[in-house]
């Protein structure tokens, strides 16, 4: 299955009539950058022993946030590269939604909880609800 979301039947058939545009479930799957989320999970796993069971502070927290920002940029670039097709404009909308999906997943995984504790109102429950709602809504974008 190609990674690029097909909005119109002509895109799906390579310019020929008869192809089907991607449906709701196809879009949900294609918007979530699973490979980038897996890479983030590996990075967070590598940093977790450094941070330990104590809350991340100082340099470790800074490193985690810097890695998060870098992977956010990689998610955009990676999605553009994975969806690139000759004769088609860049899939900018898909890349933007993929970055949002990445952020939503990272928040729900709780890897940035120590950084988010700076926001007195933030609770990981919000992130989990946002993940559910985003998953339901993203296929309609």
């Amino acid at each position: 299955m190609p990674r690029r979301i097909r909005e119109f039947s002509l895109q799906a058939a390579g310019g020929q009539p008869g192809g089907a545009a991607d449906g709701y479930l196809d879009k949900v799957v294609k918007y979530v950058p699973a490979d980038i989320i897996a890479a983030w999970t590996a990075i967070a796993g590598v940093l977790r022993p450094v941070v330990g069971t104590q809350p991340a502070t100082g340099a470790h927290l800074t490193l985690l946030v810097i890695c998060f920002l870098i992977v956010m940029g990689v998610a955009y670039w990676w999605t553009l590269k994975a969806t690139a097709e000759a004769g088609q404009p860049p899939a900018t909308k898909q890349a933007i939604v993929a970055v949002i999906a990445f952020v939503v997943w990272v928040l729900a995984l709780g890897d940035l909880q120590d950084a988010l504790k700076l926001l007195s109102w933030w609770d990981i429950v919000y992130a989990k609800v946002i993940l559910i709602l985003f998953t339901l809504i993203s296929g309609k974008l």
Side-chain angles (χ1 to χ4, degrees):
M1 167 170 60
R3 185 91 177 252
R4 187 180 182 107
I5 291 177
R6 310 292 184 197
E7 298 285 345
F8 309 104
S9 59
L10 286 178
Q11 288 177 322
Q16 303 299 320
D22 285 334
Y24 172 82
L25 292 177
D26 294 322
K27 288 181 179 181
V28 170
V29 169
K30 290 181 179 184
Y31 275 135
V32 176
D35 40 3
I36 300 297
I37 293 169
W40 169 259
T41 302
I43 290 169
V46 168
L47 294 177
R48 195 168 292 118
V50 174
V51 173
T53 58
Q54 300 300 318
T57 57
H60 293 141
L61 185 58
T62 301
L63 179 60
L64 190 65
V65 171
I66 289 171
C67 287
F68 170 72
L69 295 173
I70 290 170
V71 176
M72 251 178 54
V74 169
Y76 183 80
W77 172 80
W78 190 270
T79 303
L80 286 179
K81 290 293 183 189
T83 59
E85 290 184 359
Q88 295 287 328
T92 307
K93 173 185 163 189
Q94 187 173 346
I96 291 169
V97 175
V99 170
I100 294 169
F102 168 71
V103 170
V104 167
W105 270 94
V106 169
L107 293 175
L109 290 170
D111 295 327
L112 293 177
Q113 277 306 105
D114 294 332
L116 293 171
K117 285 181 181 175
L118 300 173
L119 304 172
S120 61
W121 56 269
W122 180 255
D123 190 321
I124 193 164
V125 172
Y126 302 151
K128 293 177 182 193
V129 170
I130 290 169
L131 175 62
I132 295 165
L133 294 175
F134 177 81
T135 302
L136 292 173
I137 294 168
S138 66
K140 293 293 185 183
L141 298 176

